Amino acid sequence: TLRTEITEGDFAGSNIAGWGYLGWDTANNSTARAVDRFWRTSAGANLRYQSWDVIAAFIYGKDNNWDLATNKEQTSKGITGQVGYLLSEKWFAAMQYDWLNGTDGSQNFNKVTPVMTFMPRQNMRFDTGGRIDLNQTGGGRQHEAFVNIRTMF
């Protein structure tokens, strides 16, 4: 991971970052061991101005044996964007958009996520929100509601 950040002024906390990795996944079946060699790379930026946060990122990756069976290649790409506002020292509201697409259609993800965060302490946060599925119409949509509790020691 490479990252650079502004540390002072109205834009303190703004940053640009990028990362990448290479890996192998394996599976054993009755006749042979299958291997998937894959890589991912991503770049993103966070513009922070006073109480506002605007985040954008892109991810791209390739697999040479996606299903660990048929040597099926897979290319995945995605974008995400978030706009958030610090309502007070303890409350943060955000709206996020995520889109992910794989060449075989198995990774199609197109959702909007409103989130409200409560931060009772600097090392603790409680998020609640929902994901609204934009991919399909009618009964095929998969909306989600969630609660996330995060603390750091």
Side-chain angles (χ1 to χ4, degrees), residues 36-83:
D36 175 31
R37 289 179 181 82
F38 60 88
W39 61 267
R40 307 283 184 272
T41 188
S42 180
N46 178 1
L47 177 63
R48 183 170 286 166
Y49 179 72
Q50 296 176 351
S51 294
W52 288 95
D53 261 325
V54 178
I55 301 168
F58 176 78
I59 188 166
Y60 187 83
K62 287 194 175 235
D63 292 71
N64 74 345
N65 188 6
W66 171 250
D67 61 3
L68 290 169
T70 62
N71 290 324
K72 179 179 181 180
E73 290 189 6
Q74 168 83 321
T75 299
S76 305
K77 56 190 169 213
I79 59 171
T80 190
Q82 183 185 81
V83 175

Side-chain angles (χ1 to χ4, degrees), residues 15-145:
N15 64 74
I16 296 173
W19 57 264
Y21 64 86
L22 172 66
W24 294 264
D25 191 8
T26 61
N28 291 319
N29 59 34
S30 60
T31 59
R33 181 174 168 199
V35 176
D36 175 31
R37 289 179 181 82
F38 60 88
W39 61 267
R40 307 283 184 272
T41 188
S42 180
N46 178 1
L47 177 63
R48 183 170 286 166
Y49 179 72
Q50 296 176 351
S51 294
W52 288 95
D53 261 325
V54 178
I55 301 168
F58 176 78
I59 188 166
Y60 187 83
K62 287 194 175 235
D63 292 71
N64 74 345
N65 188 6
W66 171 250
D67 61 3
L68 290 169
T70 62
N71 290 324
K72 179 179 181 180
E73 290 189 6
Q74 168 83 321
T75 299
S76 305
K77 56 190 169 213
I79 59 171
T80 190
Q82 183 185 81
V83 175
Y85 187 77
L86 188 62
L87 301 168
S88 70
E89 190 175 290
K90 296 189 182 289
W91 290 95
F92 181 75
M95 182 70 74
Q96 181 168 319
Y97 173 73
D98 296 289
W99 174 82
L100 179 67
N101 190 358
T103 51
D104 72 350
S106 66
Q107 293 182 311
N108 291 346
F109 189 88
N110 187 17
K111 297 190 179 185
V112 172
T113 308
V115 178
M116 181 61 77
T117 301
F118 174 62
M119 301 166 287
R121 302 172 51 108
Q122 287 185 351
N123 68 336
M124 184 181 296
R125 60 188 292 159
F126 299 91
D127 302 316
T128 184
R131 288 193 182 99
I132 302 163
D133 189 346
L134 303 175
N135 266 343
Q136 303 175 5
T137 59
R141 289 185 175 187
Q142 296 180 355
H143 304 305
E144 305 166 59

